[in-house]
Amino acid sequence: MAPAEAVTILIPGRLHEHAVARVERAFDVIRAPRADAALLSPADRGRIRGIAAMAHIDAAFIDALPNLEIIANFGVGYDSVDAAHAGRKGVVVTNTPDVLTEEVADTAVGLLINAVRELPKAEGWLRAGKWKSAGPYPFTRGTLRERTVGIFGMGRIGLAIARRLEAFGLPIAYHNRRRVEGVGYAYHASLLELARNVDTLICVAPGGAATEKAVDAEVLAALGPRGVFVNIGRGSTVDEEALAAALANGTILAAGLDVFADEPNVPEALLKAENASLLPHVGSASQHTRRAMADLMADNLESWFSGKGALTPVAETRHLGSLAGGTTPVAGAL
Ligand code: 8YV
């Protein structure tokens, strides 16, 4: 795109360096440590027409920018942005779907296998010299064999995980805000009902008020003592205290967690849980996929300011105009 010097984009906080380079190439850029109106002069607040961010953007900040047209979010999950408020104010919000689907699904399957087969612990055993000194790593209590998998959030990523696990020979069921058209897996109308019918629960649900602590003590108990819980969506979806208790007292067998409620702060009780496999939110974090996300974020801004509409607007702001041909996400799923 030809440089549109007149358009000013705000980048609050840290952002992928390729995304920054692309945005700087096409627009005037203002950087700020975070999305806080007090950090911007009145003149700058008036100039800003777009935001490129992986930061918390609340209603007050949107209201403080009178000429804001678009918030391009780095990530498929956009619970950090008040998209409903943006939609009401005529500000389009975009995210980065599709380009990270397969990567995140790969990570989810890896995390599940780590949780049941204890592969990180087995590697630790080898590296610590215990294979030589103490013998083979103990047989794992967990296995993928004879499991039934429930997926909470049957969107693009949920479907990609389901397809992989189907190939592993595992039956799949799901819960989603609504039954998903064209998906043949068994549907359960509530998360609790899903948990009662499976022993392996994979959470791919978005964050936000609707899913806050949805995976609670009752859901975990319903999975039973063979239960395995994997979270690749958002930490806010889980009652972490209840999860740590369920892991400690054998209510469930194991967990695999890539996301936490207050990142990068992981609760001490989860750090201590020997039967939890923990990752530092790396679901999409390959160089390949993060670059694709950066490109899609920049493409959204360029498309919008060329008058062609947003490429991947989120549901709450789709009425503000998008390019024909954009994918239609499943409500309530990533
Ligand atoms: C990113 C994610 O790590 O896309 C998402 O929703 O959680 C991840 O892919 C995150 O958005 C940026 O840090």
Side-chain angles (χ1 to χ4, degrees), residues 54 74-78 96 100 104 233-234 281 283-284 290 293 334:
M54 52 172 213
F74 185 85
V76 68
Y78 54 94
T96 60
L100 47 57
V104 177
R234 283 290 179 267
H281 199 148
S284 66
R290 284 294 171 86
M293 291 163 66
L334 291 170

Side-chain angles (χ1 to χ4, degrees), residues 11-333:
I11 301 180
R14 279 186 319 115
L15 187 61
H16 190 285
E17 66 179 33
H18 179 62
V20 173
R22 288 252 344 240
V23 176
E24 281 181 343
R25 205 178 329 143
F27 303 100
D28 277 349
V29 169
I30 295 176
R31 305 232 27 191
R34 60 184 179 278
D36 178 350
L39 302 173
L40 300 166
S41 69
D44 279 352
R45 276 180 245 157
R47 280 171 57 208
I48 292 165
R49 292 174 62 193
I51 297 176
M54 52 172 213
H56 181 68
I57 313 276
D58 61 15
F61 191 66
I62 293 169
D63 290 344
L65 305 176
N67 295 309
L68 185 63
E69 296 171 40
I70 180 169
I71 301 167
N73 179 64
F74 185 85
V76 68
Y78 54 94
D79 47 305
S80 55
V81 179
D82 192 336
H85 186 75
R88 284 191 294 272
K89 298 278 295 194
V91 174
V92 71
V93 177
T94 64
N95 63 345
T96 60
D98 301 319
V99 292
L100 47 57
T101 297
E102 305 303 329
E103 196 80 72
V104 177
D106 291 345
T107 310
V109 173
L111 197 48
L112 171 61
I113 297 175
N114 281 353
V116 289
R117 297 298 325 286
E118 305 174 16
L119 298 185
K121 283 171 71 183
E123 182 171 348
W125 180 275
L126 178 154
R127 289 183 187 277
K130 286 184 161 179
W131 192 9
K132 257 195 205 166
S133 65
Y137 186 74
F139 300 154
T140 59
R141 284 202 295 148
T143 173
L144 272 194
R145 299 305 103 218
E146 295 173 10
R147 286 196 168 273
T148 302
V149 177
I151 296 189
F152 174 29
M154 189 53 90
R156 292 160 287 222
I157 299 172
L159 205 53
I161 295 170
R163 285 200 192 105
R164 282 161 172 73
L165 295 180
E166 221 187 325
F168 281 47
L170 305 180
I172 314 283
Y174 74 101
H175 167 66
N176 201 67
R177 212 189 302 167
R178 285 192 267 291
R179 188 188 288 272
V180 184
E181 230 177 280
V183 169
Y185 304 122
Y187 175 70
H188 295 281
S190 77
L191 178 57
L192 188 56
E193 195 194 308
L194 175 68
R196 286 187 179 129
N197 283 278
V198 301
D199 49 31
T200 308
L201 181 65
I202 303 181
C203 177
V204 206
T211 56
E212 177 88 26
K213 295 192 178 173
V215 179
D216 58 11
E218 200 181 5
V219 168
L220 293 166
L223 288 176
R226 293 186 73 240
V228 173
F229 174 65
V230 170
N231 195 2
I232 196 87
R234 283 290 179 267
S236 60
T237 304
V238 186
D239 180 340
E240 289 181 332
E241 228 174 277
L243 175 59
L247 286 165
N249 62 27
T251 301
I252 64 170
L253 178 72
L257 309 172
D258 184 47
V259 288
F260 302 89
D262 178 28
E263 294 170 4
N265 304 304
V266 178
E268 204 48 47
L270 289 177
L271 289 173
K272 278 201 206 124
E274 285 276 327
N275 48 349
S277 178
L278 310 177
L279 296 177
H281 199 148
V282 294
S284 66
S286 68
Q287 293 179 2
H288 166 94
T289 294
R290 284 294 171 86
R291 189 178 172 94
M293 291 163 66
D295 275 326
L296 180 52
M297 166 191 248
D299 289 346
N300 264 296
L301 290 171
E302 293 191 5
S303 178
W304 180 262
F305 287 109
S306 316
K308 295 188 204 135
L311 301 173
T312 50
V314 304
E316 293 87 337
T317 69
R318 193 152 308 115
H319 60 283
L320 298 170
S322 65
L323 269 191
T327 56
T328 309
V330 170

